Amino acid sequence: MSDGGRGSGVRTALVIGGGVAGPVTALALRKAGITATVHEAYPAAADGVGAWLGLAPNGQAALATVGADAVVRAAGHPVPGMVMADGAGNQFPGFGGFPGLPATLTLPRERLFRVLTDHAVAQGMRFAYGKRLVAAEETSDGVTAHFADKTSATADILIGADGIRSTVRTVIDPRSPAPEYGGVLSLGGYAAAGSGAGAEPGTMYFAFGRAFLGYWQGADGRMIWFAGLPTDTPPSPADMVRVPAAEWLSRLRDLYAGHVPGERLLRHTGPDDLMVVGRMERMPSVPRWYRGRMVLVGDSVHAPSASSGQGASLAIESAVELARCLRDLPTPGEAFAAYEALRRPRVEAIGRNAAAVNKVKAGKADAPVPAFPTPEEMFRPLHFHRIDWEEKVTAG
């Protein structure tokens, strides 16, 4: 059911991109009284991109606003605890999460795509696949998207939820910045159960120092790990895929020789259990979030890099805030301006912090363990953030 007043006069929307932000945007728009169709470039949902991600309590709270929290929670594995360590095996005081908040959920990105899409479809959202955007043109009362298959679609507004290499971003502003490389290649994998990492179930470990490694125990007993491979000359995504998994493993094993527990985890990981994620990237500050009847949401405008642990959660938050603004303000332009004002300070601060962490991950072999604030200081402003759907948005 709609809550909607359609304050902006918007009744229909084209959502470009069907990853995380796309389905949530469609659900939030429906709650605001706006009918949306999601147009996805790939031929089907859940195209296998990416590896594992964490969905923090703030992201789960935003999902609850659109009624998608329960299905995602059923698909994820809760990991409430966190421990920082160094590469010599020394562990620092842990963090068990905040009382009253749900645990961070871990799940493969592909599974999150599928769960959100299936839920949106079950709620009546329409998805169109094989629709790669090539251009968009505005009129006084609408916007038309043109796709590579020679088809087109028209609605009152167009929302770019098409990821860090967004086409919509370049349509809005051809001079918009490109993704920023963080100096590290990201890889992950599964180490066999009994690999001796010493991980407590329900706890995620972050080992800094000579090289960075994160790891936790999955529901099947295997260790799920993700690691950084620093390089100043990153291969292209296509070139990364062409490198044999055994070669990546060999490079990682050389880098993590003597690392606790990286050396052991990599020894118990086979080539078939390796995930080649890609370059660690983030979006720098994007000057223009919107133009006319077109606006950006999620990674297309504020991808903070995986180091933040907040990428999916921020995308979900932004989808909900955008829908609130369209519900309450009289024109698309006023709604988009209010949305940007609500979101830019938070997402850019998180992005800057993630960029600083990436510099540590890309550091020299003798780089010291960073002086982190306490977990409570680090996570409280992230995990406790809430969006009040019932509160009316005002301009200014």
Side-chain angles (χ1 to χ4, degrees):
M1 295 294 293
S2 165
D3 293 352
R6 290 194 291 268
S8 60
V10 172
R11 288 172 169 77
T12 58
L14 307 175
V15 178
I16 307 300
V20 173
V24 179
T25 299
L27 288 164
L29 289 174
R30 187 191 67 160
K31 191 174 177 70
I34 299 168
T35 300
T37 300
V38 180
H39 294 79
E40 168 57 48
Y42 288 99
D47 59 9
V49 298
W52 282 70
L53 56 76
L55 190 62
N58 53 294
Q60 295 174 55
L63 278 180
T65 301
V66 297
D69 54 323
V71 292
V72 172
R73 193 161 51 245
H77 178 60
V79 182
M82 183 175 297
V83 171
M84 299 291 182
D86 62 22
N90 300 307
Q91 294 184 359
F92 305 101
F95 173 61
F98 293 104
L101 292 188
T104 290
L105 293 175
T106 62
L107 69 167
R109 180 179 296 274
E110 179 178 350
R111 188 185 303 166
L112 181 60
F113 286 2
R114 171 55 64 188
V115 167
L116 289 173
T117 299
D118 287 351
H119 178 73
V121 169
Q123 298 301 309
M125 304 296 99
R126 181 172 176 267
F127 285 71
Y129 291 98
K131 300 296 181 181
R132 185 172 298 278
L133 184 76
V134 294
E137 56 184 346
E138 293 185 69
T139 64
S140 60
D141 58 357
V143 58
T144 297
H146 299 284
F147 303 104
D149 65 357
K150 308 301 183 184
T151 63
S152 61
T154 300
D156 294 330
I157 60 171
L158 183 148
I159 301 170
D162 50 342
I164 197 168
R165 288 176 174 77
S166 170
T167 298
V168 179
R169 186 174 65 240
T170 61
V171 171
I172 289 174
D173 180 7
R175 296 175 296 179
S176 63
E180 177 182 278
Y181 172 58
V184 181
L185 302 179
S186 182
L187 299 104
Y190 301 91
S195 56
E200 292 290 331
T203 300
M204 189 175 293
Y205 297 79
F206 299 90
F208 286 85
R210 183 174 55 83
F212 169 79
L213 185 84
Y215 59 98
W216 71 98
Q217 183 175 307
D220 61 1
R222 291 186 299 173
M223 299 302 301
I224 304 165
W225 57 264
F226 52 97
L229 187 62
T231 178
D232 293 330
T233 55
S236 69
D239 287 340
M240 284 196 72
V241 172
R242 282 193 285 265
V243 175
E247 183 175 331
W248 286 123
L249 269 178
S250 177
R251 292 178 63 180
L252 286 169
R253 287 168 178 163
D254 288 345
L255 177 64
Y256 286 87
H259 186 283
V260 180
E263 181 175 4
R264 182 179 291 273
L265 288 173
L266 288 161
R267 189 188 311 139
H268 287 82
T269 301
D272 291 342
D273 292 319
L274 185 74
M275 296 177 282
V276 180
V277 181
R279 295 179 289 190
M280 188 76 77
E281 294 177 316
R282 75 176 192 104
M283 279 308 300
S285 181
V286 174
R288 300 191 68 174
W289 283 38
Y290 64 94
R291 175 172 63 82
R293 291 178 171 269
M294 296 183 288
V295 66
L296 300 170
V297 70
D299 281 358
S300 67
V301 69
H302 56 61
S305 104
S307 294
S308 70
Q310 280 283 318
S313 294
L314 292 182
I316 294 163
E317 287 181 358
S318 288
V320 173
E321 287 284 36
L322 175 59
R324 285 180 65 232
C325 293
L326 286 164
R327 178 195 67 189
D328 292 343
L329 294 171
T331 67
E334 289 174 273
F336 296 161
Y339 155 70
E340 179 181 349
L342 285 168
R343 296 302 293 161
R344 186 187 281 273
R346 174 171 169 80
V347 300
E348 292 198 348
I350 293 170
R352 288 191 297 270
N353 289 339
V357 173
N358 285 344
K359 289 181 180 179
V360 173
K361 293 180 179 181
K364 296 181 179 180
D366 58 353
V369 176
F372 288 105
T374 67
E376 288 79 5
E377 294 170 333
M378 187 187 312
F379 296 115
R380 182 171 290 278
L382 302 178
H383 291 184
F384 276 92
H385 184 80
R386 295 294 180 271
I387 299 167
D388 185 352
W389 178 263
E390 301 302 328
E391 182 182 2
K392 184 176 177 62
V393 180
T394 57

